[in-house]
């Protein structure tokens, strides 16, 4: 059993939990993820490691409540336990001194970008970060990102804070303005990552994205997480989750994410008691 | 009274009923049936059956106890050698193991050794907590076992019974390996697996789930941090795909994913259990081994109208056990031989709808001794399928192998290990089961675990002598 030692609401439907898992914390690196299961009938869900504390032996995750499992996770309190927690999974980000890098985070994707930006900064890079959300209330980790970036730019879809528009527009400006950018990291919704890939492609800048396909085991055993990269099939849980944005088959990634739409709605309805058959207790 | 030439039949759920549930198909012997079957055993002096049992069970001795109605002594006799009898009694391919060598098989059917083993194991489980053997005093040595499939569990149990402190590291959230995630509930109920795992825990073995070796900790770190030896039993968990167009369409599963969702995650109880699975009306399973049979039979139980085995060789070459093929046929699984897909086609939403298949002919025998399938040019045709399960085999998962420098591998990517001892190229590191042989059987994995435990014990005692001498 893995204890939740801290919990915080960062924005509407976006929560942070810190979980005690010393063996995972001892090895965790930016870019990796964990898989957790709340209880026995639960699904195994992957979440990116947003931060880790080796001394205290804890892992921080930031998640958006999108379906049954993430909502239920959002209801847990400090002191509650998770049945299962496994990691660190996947390959760490390739942190080197590249020169000037841009880190782009959209929505809850700012969370996984944060440890990468921090590591890049520590490795001696000039870090320009661009973060965005639908509106001001949904923007997370602004201060944390500012602290590890040489420059921080913010966009909101509705213009309630920072620039009105998408992170990709800011990225395009940065690339035009700054002449040389050596590498771009982008994490967020698939449509955003795809848009970033299209922005950097004409500039020929190596661009890394973190893929979030549906997973089961996270150890390369099932193949649920396959993504197509440069025409080759890869297992995101062991070969990734980070891949070259310019080589990813985005249509396939989007389709595979929606594979269980009906079942996800059904699970939510069943457990939230529509039709009076609540079994979630 | 002359010995009957036939095995005492075992009661089964009728096919039309069982394809609508996930309960066990074979129901097991009653006491009378078990005693009747035990009567068939000739108690041969040389007991040829014993050479077919990789875990060295004294077969005539335990059968003799059943004859006398002393089921408790029978199970004790088995457990001297085998810590997982309820599992072996169900899934051992006995026709290639113990029963193959039984004297009776020269004239008729062999003694149903597996069914008898299952009977006494179930008899004990039904009576609650089983008796533990007396354990020797602790030796002070610590052994890490990586993977909790049949190889790892057997090595762990035997080492514990030799007095060593054993910790098992398992990547998944439950121990058991393929016994939990692969072999379906209707052949091997998961509560049976967990009951036998619990017995191993009670022998003093600590099992740490959610522990991926190679990620959370490496083999070298285990050796540096107090473990005197390591046994690697990580199995053959890497699914092979065919590498043909359309394989990433929605509805195309690897057998591992299809079975893991169903067995380990209990998708058949969705939405009460939260992991979903999608099964259409026409399911095509590519391949004809045990894994393929399990997938095809699972598909029926998940509601498929038609479940088809698609195999590029003929009925003769099918690697699955005869009994499993028979069960699948009875349940209405369709067999399409000498054909294999070359492309999958989907609808606008990206769901698989159809396969282009090509027909095959059998040519000269290949390295495996089976006649090689040769594609017939121009024989392409379409076959409708809205769910496809690829069951063409599994390879070794590289997570441990890549993070253990100096560990020698074979050309197939499996660990190179001594057949008799499991010793690898790294001193103190032993291996056995599917990670060494490639995908094989439960009992061979257990046999390898047993031999390795003996070799590890010898290695530790030698090590102890050196450090004291
Ligand atoms: C490597 C990786 C890292 C991730 N990191 C984060 C993170 O840091 N923060 C965050 O909020 N989300 C993250 N996700 C996504 C997160 O796993 C899903 O939001 C979660 O599984 C949804 O489960 P649910 O039951 O709440 O929703 P559901 O209603 O079941 O599903 C909602 C959507 O989530 C996706 N999803 C469903 N099941 C899975 C699954 N088993 N594995 C992956 N995706 C699934 C599907 O696209 C689905 O349409 C990550 C995913 C991956 C693969
Ligand atoms: C669907 C199916 C049906 C089968 N039916 C039969 C049958 O009827 N009869 C029969 O005899 N055989 C059958 N087999 C084959 C048999 O199950 C295997 O040969 C046997 O389980 C191999 O045992 P093992 O201990 O080597 O590996 P496994 O059972 O594969 O166990 C390996 C374990 O190691 C764990 N692991 C892997 N990597 C790591 C890591 N890095 N860190 C920690 N843990 C790790 C895995 O999660 C797993 O639990 C079947 C196989 C399948 C897939
Ligand atoms: S363990 Fe398997 S091979 Fe050995 S006696 Fe039992 S059924 Fe036969
Ligand atoms: S060979 Fe057959 S008949 Fe002879 S002892 Fe063994 S099980 Fe009994
Ligand atoms: S999640 Fe199963 S192989 Fe990646």
């Amino acid at each position: 059993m893995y204890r939740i030692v801290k919990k915080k609401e960062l924005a509407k439907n976006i929560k942070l939990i810190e979980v005690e898992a010393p063996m995972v914390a001892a090895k965790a690196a930016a870019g990796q993820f964990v898989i957790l299961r709340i209880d026995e009938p639960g699904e195994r869900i992957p979440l990116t490691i947003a931060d880790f504390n080796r001394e205290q032996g804890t892992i921080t995750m930031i998640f958006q409540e999108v379906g049954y499992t993430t909502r239920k996770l959002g209801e847990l309190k400090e002191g509650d336990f998770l049945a299962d927690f496994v990691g660190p999974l996947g390959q760490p980000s390739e942190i080197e001194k590249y020169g000037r890098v841009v880190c782009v985070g959209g929505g809850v994707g700012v969370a996984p970008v944060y440890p990468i930006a921090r590591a890049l900064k520590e490795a001696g890079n000039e870090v320009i970060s661009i973060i965005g959300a639908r509106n001001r209330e949904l923007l997370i980790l602004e201060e944390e990102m500012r602290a590890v970036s040489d420059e921080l730019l913010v966009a909101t879809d509705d213009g309630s804070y920072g620039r009105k528009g998408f992170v990709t527009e800011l990225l395009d400006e940065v690339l035009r303005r700054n002449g040389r950018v050596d590498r771009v990291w982008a994490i967020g919704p698939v449509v955003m990552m795809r848009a970033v890939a299209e922005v950097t492609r004409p500039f020929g800048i190596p661009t890394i994205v973190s893929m979030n396909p549906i997973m089961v085991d996270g150890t390369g055993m099932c193949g649920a997480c396959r993504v197509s990269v440069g025409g080759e099939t890869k297992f995101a849980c062991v070969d990734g989750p980070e891949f070259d944005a310019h080589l990813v088959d985005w249509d396939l990634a989007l389709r595979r994410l929606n594979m269980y739409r009906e079942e996800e709605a059904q699970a939510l309805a069943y457990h939230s008691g529509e039709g009076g058959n609540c079994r979630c207790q | 009274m002359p010995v009957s030439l036939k095995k005492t039949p075992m009661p089964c759920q009728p096919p039309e009923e069982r394809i609508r549930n996930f309960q066990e198909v074979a129901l097991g012997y009653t006491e009378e049936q078990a005693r009747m079957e035990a009567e068939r055993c000739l108690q041969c002096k040389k007991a040829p059956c014993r050479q077919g049992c990789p875990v060295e069970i004294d077969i005539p001795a335990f059968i003799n106890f059943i004859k006398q109605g002393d089921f408790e002594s029978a199970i004790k006799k088995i457990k001297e050698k085998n810590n997982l009898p309820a599992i072996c009694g169900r899934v051992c391919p006995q026709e290639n193991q113990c029963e193959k060598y039984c004297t009776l098989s020269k004239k008729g059917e062999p003694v149903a050794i597996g069914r008898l083993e299952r009977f006494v194991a179930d008899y004990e489980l039904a009576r609650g907590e089983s008796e533990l053997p007396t354990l020797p005093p602790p030796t002070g040595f610590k052994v890490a076992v990586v993977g909790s499939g049949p190889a790892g569990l057997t090595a762990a149990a035997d080492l514990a019974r030799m007095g060593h402190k054993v910790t098992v590291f398992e990547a998944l959230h439950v121990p058991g390996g393929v016994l939990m995630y692969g072999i379906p509930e209707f052949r091997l109920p998961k509560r049976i697996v967990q009951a036998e795992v619990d017995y191993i825990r009670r022998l003093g073995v600590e099992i740490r789930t959610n522990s991926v070796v190679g990620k959370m900790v490496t083999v070298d770190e285990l050796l540096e941090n107090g473990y005197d030896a390591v046994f690697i039993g990580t199995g053959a968990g890497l699914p092979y795909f065919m590498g043909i167009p359309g394989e990433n369409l929605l509805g195309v599963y690897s057998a591992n994913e299809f079975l893991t969702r169903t067995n380990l995650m209990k998708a058949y109880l969705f939405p009460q259990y939260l992991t979903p699975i999608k099964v259409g009306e026409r399911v095509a399973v590519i391949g004809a081994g045990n894994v393929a049979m399990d997938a095809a039979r699972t598909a029926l139980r998940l509601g498929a109208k038609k479940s088809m085995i698609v195999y590029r060789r003929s009925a003769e070459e099918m690697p699955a056990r005869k009994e499993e093929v028979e069960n699948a046929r009875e349940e209405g699984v369709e067999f399409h031989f000498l054909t294999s897909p070359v492309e999958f086609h989907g609808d606008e939403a990206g769901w698989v709808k159809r396969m282009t298949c090509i027909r095959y002919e059998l040519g000269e025998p290949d390295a495996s001794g089976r006649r090689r399938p040769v594609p017939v040019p121009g024989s392409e045709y379409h076959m409708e399928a809205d769910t496809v399960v690829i069951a063409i085999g599994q390879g070794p998962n590289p997570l441990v192998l890549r993070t253990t420098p100096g560990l020698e591998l074979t050309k197939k990517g499996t660990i190179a290990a001594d057949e008799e001892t499991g010793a690898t190229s790294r001193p103190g590191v032993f291996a056995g089961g599917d990670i060494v042989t490639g995908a094989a059987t439960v009992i061979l994995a257990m046999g390898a675990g047993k031999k390795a435990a003996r070799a590890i014990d010898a290695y530790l005692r030698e090590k102890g002598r050196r450090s004291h001498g």
Side-chain angles (χ1 to χ4, degrees), chain A residues 27 44 219 221-222 226 271, chain B residues 173 221 248 254 256 271 397:
Chain A
K27 281 293 176 68
R44 293 169 64 98
T219 64
M221 183 269 272
C222 75
R226 39 203 210 279
H271 288 277
Chain B
H173 58 268
E221 286 164 341
N248 292 334
S254 75
N256 273 3
N397 185 314

Side-chain angles (χ1 to χ4, degrees), chain B residues 105-371:
Chain B
S105 65
K106 293 203 187 86
K107 284 208 192 118
E109 288 183 352
V111 175
I113 302 170
R115 293 177 186 177
L116 289 174
E117 183 173 354
R118 167 184 168 160
F119 166 75
V120 282
D122 286 0
Y123 173 87
E124 187 187 45
L125 287 177
R127 290 163 51 108
E129 205 151 272
S130 56
E131 212 177 296
L132 285 180
T134 37
L135 296 170
T139 60
F141 288 112
K142 279 171 68 184
V143 183
V145 169
V146 186
S148 64
L153 288 176
T154 303
D158 279 14
L159 285 163
R161 291 175 71 163
M162 294 165 181
H164 307 302
K165 177 91 196 84
V166 185
T167 310
V168 178
F169 294 84
E170 167 56 48
L172 291 172
H173 58 268
V174 286
V178 170
L179 306 175
M180 285 305 286
Y181 77 72
I183 305 182
E185 177 77 17
F186 57 83
R187 283 215 287 130
L188 180 63
K190 302 309 149 211
R191 70 180 160 77
I192 299 275
V193 179
Q194 289 314 309
E196 301 218 310
V197 169
D198 278 341
Y199 171 74
I200 289 173
R201 280 205 186 93
R202 286 170 54 225
L203 292 172
V205 172
E206 184 198 351
I207 302 180
R208 288 200 204 155
T209 52
N210 298 317
S211 303
V212 185
V213 174
K215 286 284 170 192
M216 191 185 80
V217 64
T218 63
V219 168
D220 285 280
E221 286 164 341
L222 291 171
L223 289 168
E224 283 155 25
N225 296 323
Y227 290 98
D228 300 290
V230 176
F231 174 79
I232 304 175
T234 48
L238 181 77
Y240 289 144
F241 283 93
M242 304 180 77
I244 61 177
E247 208 164 13
N248 292 334
L249 285 166
L250 308 186
V252 181
Y253 288 96
S254 75
N256 273 3
E257 181 184 354
F258 192 74
L259 292 169
T260 299
R261 283 181 178 274
T262 316
N263 297 316
L264 181 73
M265 305 310 296
K266 300 202 170 44
Y268 64 94
L269 298 176
F270 182 87
Q272 194 190 343
Y273 273 68
L274 280 142
T275 305
I277 193 162
K278 277 244 199 217
V279 173
E281 301 204 332
R282 296 173 59 90
V283 179
V285 177
I286 318 301
N290 285 322
V291 181
M293 297 307 140
D294 282 343
R297 298 174 68 196
T298 296
L300 286 175
R301 286 161 173 80
L302 290 170
K305 292 225 170 76
K306 207 186 249 307
S307 178
M308 304 172 282
I309 290 281
V310 177
Y311 184 46
R312 65 196 181 117
R313 304 188 199 230
S314 76
E316 259 92 279
E317 289 84 19
M318 282 197 287
R321 291 180 67 189
K322 279 219 176 60
E323 191 184 322
E324 297 312 325
V325 174
E326 205 37 57
N327 276 323
R329 271 192 211 284
E330 276 176 19
E331 291 171 9
V333 171
E334 258 180 32
F335 289 78
H336 296 248
F337 294 116
L338 293 166
T339 180
S340 186
V342 289
E343 182 169 0
F344 301 108
H345 308 276
D347 60 14
E348 312 80 62
W351 275 94
V352 66
K353 282 287 165 256
R354 191 179 314 119
M355 330 191 269
T356 301
C357 290
I358 188 165
R359 294 195 195 282
Y360 282 79
E361 283 171 350
L362 290 181
E364 296 301 306
D366 62 13
S368 72
R370 299 179 300 175
R371 292 178 63 192

